[in-house]
Amino acid sequence: MGATTQDLAVSETDGTVSIELNFKAFADNVPTTQHAKRTSRLDDPSIQDFADQALELATLRAELKRLSRDYEILQQQAAAREVRLDELRRELTAARMQLREERQQSPTFAATVVEEASRMRPLLIPVDRPDSPVALSRDIVTIGRTTKSDICIRSSAVSRDHARLLVAAGHVTLVNMSSTNGCFVNDERVTKQRLRDGDVVRIGDRSFRFAST
């Protein structure tokens, strides 16, 4: 036995669910064999159970409808945010490109870059020619008598492959390459020595002051 749509009227207004139960129509749907067993009382358990279930169903449908509306709103907001993010990404890319072009077009840009890069590199400054510093711009700087060396010292006191300067982040190390006359740091003969700012390096008969920056 069940109720038809004529038995029940459900309405929803501003989130409030109302139910009207047509008891006569409900009774009409009861089989004839059951008429004698059933009376039209408001406290009939079957009617009460049916009303409770109908109310619960209507409440669940209203909640589902509300959740569906909330989900649609969230989807719309997410789509709007994604569109805005795309716009911001394009604006940022355009701004970066414009800044790069303006810097490259500036006549002093290249000179400034070179100057700043040189300023950050360690230097060997000849004691007898302080106006001609040598920037240590490579990871390994060779020192010797031949023109193949990065720092060429034309002197009979300097070996063909005299020494190496190992340039790493934050420090420079002087390494003697089994030269005849050796390498000196602050007048002390060394085989391998990490240089400190202000150290005086002597290779053969030439002296250099080390500057870390």
Side-chain angles (χ1 to χ4, degrees):
M1 181 185 66
T4 66
T5 56
Q6 296 177 351
D7 303 339
L8 181 67
V10 180
S11 62
E12 179 186 354
T13 304
D14 297 331
T16 302
V17 178
S18 300
I19 299 177
E20 291 184 10
L21 186 62
N22 190 329
F23 291 100
K24 183 178 183 304
F26 181 78
D28 290 342
N29 290 325
V30 177
T32 307
T33 57
Q34 300 293 327
H35 282 182
K37 300 179 182 180
R38 191 173 296 276
T39 58
S40 299
R41 302 196 315 273
L42 293 178
D43 59 348
D44 191 328
S46 62
I47 296 177
Q48 185 62 43
D49 290 344
F50 175 77
D52 291 342
Q53 293 175 6
L55 178 60
E56 182 179 0
L57 177 61
T59 301
L60 291 175
R61 286 178 176 174
E63 181 66 13
L64 179 61
K65 185 176 181 181
R66 184 187 66 80
L67 291 175
S68 298
R69 287 197 301 266
D70 292 345
Y71 178 70
E72 291 177 0
I73 293 173
L74 289 175
Q75 281 188 317
Q76 294 173 359
Q77 292 175 346
R81 282 195 296 267
E82 191 63 30
V83 171
R84 181 55 180 161
L85 282 175
D86 289 339
E87 293 176 352
L88 291 175
R89 292 189 189 103
R90 288 193 295 268
E91 292 176 3
L92 180 59
T93 301
R96 285 175 174 172
M97 293 180 62
Q98 182 179 357
L99 180 60
R100 188 180 299 114
E101 292 175 357
E102 290 176 354
R103 285 181 173 177
Q104 292 175 350
Q105 292 174 0
S106 174
T108 60
F109 175 72
T112 301
V113 170
V114 173
E115 182 181 353
E116 290 296 329
S118 299
R119 190 177 300 171
M120 298 300 294
R121 294 170 183 166
L123 302 173
L124 274 186
I125 304 173
V127 173
D128 56 344
R129 296 186 60 185
D131 58 336
S132 301
V134 179
L136 307 180
S137 57
R138 301 177 62 179
D139 294 339
I140 300 177
V141 179
T142 59
I143 303 175
R145 190 172 68 244
T146 67
T147 56
K148 293 182 180 180
S149 300
D150 297 319
I151 299 178
C152 177
I153 304 176
R154 294 185 177 277
S155 171
S156 58
V158 178
S159 300
R160 294 174 60 85
D161 186 14
H162 198 103
R164 296 280 193 277
L165 288 171
L166 308 180
V167 183
H171 63 270
V172 176
T173 301
L174 173 66
V175 180
N176 180 48
M177 300 302 293
S178 301
S179 63
T180 301
N181 295 316
C183 301
F184 295 81
V185 176
N186 300 326
D187 292 329
E188 292 185 8
R189 187 161 186 156
V190 298
T191 301
K192 184 177 182 180
Q193 178 69 37
R194 181 171 174 174
L195 301 179
R196 296 176 299 180
D197 188 54
D199 282 348
V200 176
V201 178
R202 179 157 55 87
I203 305 293
D205 54 3
R206 294 289 303 278
S207 295
F208 303 83
R209 184 176 62 82
F210 174 72
S212 58
T213 54

